Amino acid sequence: MDRLELTELTALLRACAGEGEGIDLNGDVLDTPFLDLGYDSLALLQVTGIIERDHDVTLDEEALDEAETPRQYLDLVNGALSARTTA
Amino acid sequence: MTALAGQERGLIGARDVTAVVTGLGVVAPGGVGTESWWASVLRGHNAIGPVTRFDASGYPVRLAGEVSGFTDEEHVSGRLLPQTDRVTRLALAAAAQALETAALDPARLPDYAVGVVTANAAGGFEFGQRELQALWSRGSRHVGAYQSFAWFYAANSGQISIRHGLRGPSGVVVSEQAGGLDAVAQARRLLRRGTGAVVTGGVDSTLCPWGWTAHLAAGGLSTAEDPDRAYLPFDAAARGHVVGEGGALFVVEDGDTARARGADALGVVAGCAATFDPAPGTGRPRLLPAAELALADAGITPADVDVVFADAAGERAADRAEAQTLTALFGPFGVPVTAPKTMTGRLLSGGSAVDLAAALLALRDQVIPPTVGTRRVADDCPVDLVTGAARPARLRTALVLARGRGGFNAATVLRAAR
């Protein structure tokens, strides 16, 4: 089943919006708020666009806007991906 | 109309402020950083050369003034790289140097004490080209979110403001080559309204196929192949200009606050003026009134001017018009005139900003940087052009002129700090 893992999300963040100094994206950042990781809403918008494109899925941008951590974001994305699979 | 004029007068005259330049950062063909660029200029080193930033072999114009030796990662954080065009990276480098040389730490000042007003004529062309190519060749889902602002004229001001926490009044001026001078004039207005300091000046970069196409469509470019014979302002063989990239940014500051914090002033922005040409064929260009207004604003006469940094279009009719302006003010061969932009090409808004930088350093070092290329002025351009080598001189006051495509004229009078 098509799933988005944390490593893929952090790779996308790094590629789309760069990496701040003093932040280890390879660490346990699942529950670290995006703002603490240095990523703003535009960085996430960029990432969301690429996920939609590469996974051929339409995501609820308003719901994703509420996601404050990678865990919350991944849950929403994977929910949409599995809904698509079962549909 | 009267009410508006009165209101404007009130705004402009809110405080009597001496606008001093306390910081300077130059990123231009010939040098990344003020002193390396200035040394190159004083040597008379021509930084115009074949285009290397893209394959220009298929275009009728193949020379440019490129900023070489600029490593993005040395000037811009990894976080900012994906969201900035080259022009903004150059601007961030110039701004950092300007603030550093001003020894101004915005973090130690009140929240709204420092503003940013930069000039930019073209936005982030290379970034925009990349995103447009993605749009047309691969579809809208391949266009990045950062295109929303990275292409924009105001991106330089915005990123400088964010990076240094400069939350005072900010903006962007778009008036092509005149922009660097117009931005400084706007910065002085802000000082008069109470802002303590402003990061100002102009930076442009358009050296990509899309930018090149725009320049070719606009016309006026030299198609010469020899970098030393391509851009020859005031020369009888003038045949157009060369485009370059880069610019200069300044910290312009209220003289009282600068003195109070013990900052060294590089020079004083003593007079500013801008005019707009009538529609082509309906009247005379208005460069002369711009210069006269700037001199009046500074409270001086032409006799007080020690050197002129010319707009130097490199096109016969425009050169004649500027020479007429200069002879109307100073008489034939009446004042030393120079065009160090012959070593960089015309940098759009960055051009007049770099001329301001050159004028400030000329006042500091008591030397007039040379004009290269042109060896002898045309008979119909009777100006004392400083050619061949830098000319030592006693300099107290400099006049900088600029003309922007579309009818913009601007003039700035700079005075030595002491």
Side-chain angles (χ1 to χ4, degrees), chain B residues 18-418:
Chain B
T18 302
V20 298
V21 180
T22 53
L24 168 58
V26 179
V27 177
V32 174
T34 304
E35 298 304 334
S36 75
W37 160 79
W38 181 236
S40 171
V41 166
L42 288 183
R43 276 201 315 274
H45 168 71
N46 183 7
I48 291 171
V51 173
T52 65
R53 290 196 58 78
F54 65 97
D55 178 7
S57 59
Y59 297 88
V61 175
R62 293 184 285 276
L63 295 177
E66 296 186 343
V67 172
S68 58
F70 186 88
T71 307
D72 292 351
E73 290 75 11
E74 287 175 12
H75 301 280
V76 181
S77 73
R79 188 52 58 74
L80 282 180
L81 287 172
Q83 55 175 284
T84 47
D85 179 76
R86 176 169 173 86
V87 70
T88 302
R89 298 173 189 176
L90 300 178
L92 283 166
Q97 195 189 13
L99 285 163
E100 190 189 317
T101 54
L104 192 70
D105 181 4
R108 298 179 58 181
L109 295 168
D111 227 10
Y112 300 99
V114 186
V116 187
V117 178
T118 66
N120 178 265
F125 243 87
E126 199 175 49
F127 197 106
Q129 168 169 349
R130 199 167 60 236
E131 299 300 323
L132 283 177
Q133 277 176 319
L135 174 66
W136 294 114
S137 64
R138 297 159 73 195
S140 61
R141 293 180 123 196
H142 292 265
V143 178
Y146 294 119
Q147 168 67 357
S148 57
F149 61 76
W151 72 274
F152 193 44
Y153 310 101
N156 296 351
S157 285
Q159 293 286 17
I160 292 166
S161 162
I162 293 166
R163 172 151 159 197
H164 296 286
L166 312 179
R167 300 175 65 197
S170 295
V172 62
V173 177
V174 183
S175 51
E176 222 257 329
Q177 302 275 338
L181 306 190
D182 289 337
V184 169
Q186 173 64 7
R188 192 180 65 159
R189 275 184 208 108
L190 295 178
L191 298 184
R192 289 177 172 179
R193 292 175 203 172
T195 302
V198 183
V199 174
T200 187
V203 183
D204 261 300
S205 175
T206 54
L207 303 184
C208 63
W210 187 29
W212 217 234
T213 306
H215 286 299
L216 288 168
L221 299 188
S222 169
T223 54
E225 300 274 346
D226 177 359
D228 294 324
R229 300 298 296 160
Y231 178 29
L232 306 170
F234 303 113
D235 192 308
R239 52 185 297 183
H241 66 273
V242 173
V243 172
E245 63 174 349
L249 293 174
F250 311 89
V251 173
V252 177
E253 196 169 350
D254 174 344
D256 290 341
T257 58
R259 200 174 310 114
R261 71 180 184 89
D264 282 332
L266 257 173
V268 177
V269 181
C272 304
T275 61
F276 200 74
D277 286 342
T282 63
R284 295 170 62 83
R286 305 198 68 236
L287 181 64
L288 177 61
E292 290 170 335
L293 287 164
L295 294 174
D297 185 41
I300 62 172
T301 67
D304 298 313
V305 173
D306 301 311
V307 61
V308 176
F309 287 74
D311 173 64
E315 190 267 318
R316 291 297 290 126
D319 285 347
R320 266 196 304 273
E322 185 167 30
Q324 282 163 12
T325 291
L326 293 171
T327 50
L329 287 168
F330 305 103
F333 306 100
V335 68
V337 174
T338 192
K341 56 168 68 84
T342 46
M343 290 173 252
T344 63
R346 291 173 72 80
L347 315 183
L348 288 78
S349 345
S352 53
V354 168
D355 277 346
L356 283 179
L360 286 164
L361 297 173
L363 294 172
R364 182 191 72 179
D365 294 346
Q366 298 291 289
V367 61
I368 301 171
T371 303
V372 305
T374 305
R375 287 170 207 144
R376 183 181 168 275
V377 294
D379 291 341
D380 55 8
C381 294
V383 295
D384 174 17
L385 197 67
V386 177
T387 57
R391 185 193 293 180
R394 285 186 59 83
L395 306 173
R396 285 284 304 157
T397 304
L399 173 66
V400 181
L401 301 177
R403 289 174 293 191
R405 189 185 294 277
F408 302 99
N409 304 290
T412 303
V413 175
L414 295 174
R415 216 174 54 229
R418 57 179 88 76

